[in-house]
Amino acid sequence: VTEETQTLQNPAIRSAYERELNLHWTEKTNDPINLLLGEEDGLYHHHYAVGDFDRTILNADEGVREKKILAEMHRMETEQVALITDPLLGHLHASSRVMDAGSGRGGTSFMVHDAYGSSVDGINFTQHHIDFSERLAEKRGCADSVRFHNSNMVATEFPDAHFDAVVTNETTMYVDPLEAFREFARVLRPGGRYVGVTWCWNDTTSPRRTEDITAIDKHYVCHINARSRYFAGLERFGLVPTEVTDLTEEAIPYWELRTASELRTGVEPYFLDGYRSGALQYLVIVADRTA
Ligand SMILES: C[S@@+](CC[C@H](N)C(=O)[O-])C[C@H]1O[C@@H](n2cnc3c(N)ncnc32)[C@H](O)[C@@H]1O
């Protein structure tokens, strides 16, 4: 079965845009920047990071420099997941249920489960990501509590009020926040918590999409949403923000480090320019569903 057939036959795909995006992910079966980093500890991330890095590694000997850069990127990507797990402290326990919308290769789902013992349902419409995450869940001995589903994150089959928390780790640039938050509010129980980490276009300072934003959209087949669209969606569906953190400055060093790696993909200058100019922002949004 070709990648194209897989995409065409996938019942979770609803539009021409989703077909294009799904094909993009379906073809990326062995991208070294994602696979090499996770080999050591079995945590595979498809997101970036915040905070500074150990700058001495840039002067390391040629023979070890790249290895050190990759280890540092992986450390940062793993620590990034605290942006999701920390706001759930006190909200989750072992019998809680969490939906991880756009679960990639499962890194965030596993770390939420490891932190609180909660069961996690990872939602993804890329079948090889699901197969990969399911194999990892078996290996990690948590396949009973961390499950992965081929489904569209804005139209899942879960009953109303099923989850105590919904998380999105750098996935809402593939969906319309209005559609996504309608679904997240539906599956969250009253008082349940949404935590989302995302990059977005700062439409308070840039009335139009900038060249950097357009270039990132093209590179990742995404559609970076305006910041105002997030808050319109939260408001519309009764998700009340309790904390919003702008980590744009903190998001810059990761891209400087990635620029120094042999695995850089060419998208790095657009993120750096976007963050430095302020047109692109890196936000953490914590919001609770009204009762
Ligand atoms: C950038 S990755 C993020 C993965 C993960 N959250 C992480 O932090 O490692 C985006 C993921 O979202 C999935 N995805 C994108 N749009 C989706 C949709 N509408 N429904 C389900 N999954 C989707 C892709 O297949 C991919 O696995």
Side-chain angles (χ1 to χ4, degrees):
V1 185
T2 65
E3 281 99 11
E4 210 160 351
T5 318
Q6 273 183 52
T7 291
L8 282 171
Q9 292 177 346
N10 187 333
I13 313 288
R14 308 166 310 153
S15 65
Y17 164 67
E18 288 179 356
R19 246 192 313 284
E20 189 192 349
L21 171 63
N22 184 261
L23 190 59
H24 164 82
W25 281 109
T26 302
E27 286 170 346
K28 285 208 315 184
T29 45
N30 49 14
D31 221 356
I33 198 149
N34 300 123
L35 294 180
L36 280 176
L37 298 184
E39 264 167 20
E40 297 270 311
D41 59 4
L43 288 171
Y44 293 81
H45 305 295
H46 284 278
H47 58 244
Y48 312 126
V50 290
D52 207 357
F53 62 90
D54 173 6
R55 288 179 187 260
T56 63
I57 61 175
L58 298 181
N59 304 319
D61 293 343
E62 260 329 293
V64 292
R65 185 173 180 267
E66 181 67 10
K67 213 169 167 234
K68 286 183 182 240
I69 291 177
L70 296 186
E72 189 67 346
M73 280 171 58
H74 187 60
R75 174 193 68 77
M76 294 173 81
E77 292 175 11
T78 298
E79 286 181 8
Q80 183 267 15
V81 179
L83 300 177
I84 300 263
T85 50
D86 284 357
L88 294 169
L89 183 69
H91 277 258
L92 295 184
H93 39 84
S95 61
S96 307
R97 291 195 285 250
V98 181
M99 176 164 111
D100 179 12
S103 48
R105 287 188 161 92
T108 300
S109 303
F110 294 127
M111 288 184 69
V112 170
H113 170 73
D114 290 349
Y116 300 111
S118 316
S119 67
V120 181
D121 289 289
I123 309 302
N124 204 323
F125 64 19
T126 302
Q127 188 58 46
H128 75 84
H129 281 178
I130 296 170
D131 299 341
F132 191 97
S133 319
E134 283 178 339
R135 281 196 299 273
L136 281 176
E138 287 291 343
K139 249 197 209 164
R140 300 175 75 87
C142 61
D144 287 347
S145 343
V146 187
R147 294 170 295 258
F148 297 91
H149 310 266
N150 183 11
S151 181
N152 195 310
M153 69 167 114
V154 304
T156 71
E157 285 166 8
F158 293 102
D160 294 356
H162 184 71
F163 290 104
D164 300 288
V166 172
V167 302
T168 54
N169 199 351
E170 300 191 15
T171 65
T172 47
M173 57 292 295
Y174 302 106
V175 293
D176 178 354
L178 262 86
E179 246 193 328
F181 292 151
R182 182 184 56 199
E183 179 66 358
F184 300 166
R186 183 187 72 76
V187 298
L188 270 177
R189 66 165 170 78
R193 179 158 280 196
Y194 167 70
V195 185
V197 179
T198 192
W199 12 290
C200 63
W201 152 42
N202 182 4
D203 58 342
T204 65
T205 56
S206 305
R208 283 186 203 83
R209 305 171 82 72
T210 62
E211 272 175 39
D212 297 320
I213 289 177
T214 311
I216 297 170
D217 278 350
K218 190 159 171 242
H219 187 94
Y220 285 127
V221 193
C222 64
H223 184 80
I224 298 172
N225 291 295
R227 195 173 82 177
S228 59
R229 188 93 183 152
Y230 281 93
F231 295 96
L234 292 170
E235 220 243 306
R236 170 90 66 94
F237 298 105
L239 295 167
V240 181
T242 60
E243 205 177 335
V244 177
T245 317
D246 176 357
L247 293 176
T248 307
E249 283 284 313
E250 291 83 345
I252 292 173
Y254 174 85
W255 289 98
E256 293 171 341
L257 179 61
R258 209 175 119 144
T259 303
S261 162
E262 286 159 21
L263 296 186
R264 65 184 165 272
T265 60
V267 77
E268 293 78 11
Y270 305 118
F271 274 94
L272 283 169
D273 287 354
Y275 285 144
R276 285 178 180 147
S277 73
L280 189 67
Q281 286 193 308
Y282 196 82
L283 292 190
V284 184
I285 299 172
V286 183
D288 292 340
R289 204 201 122 169
T290 48

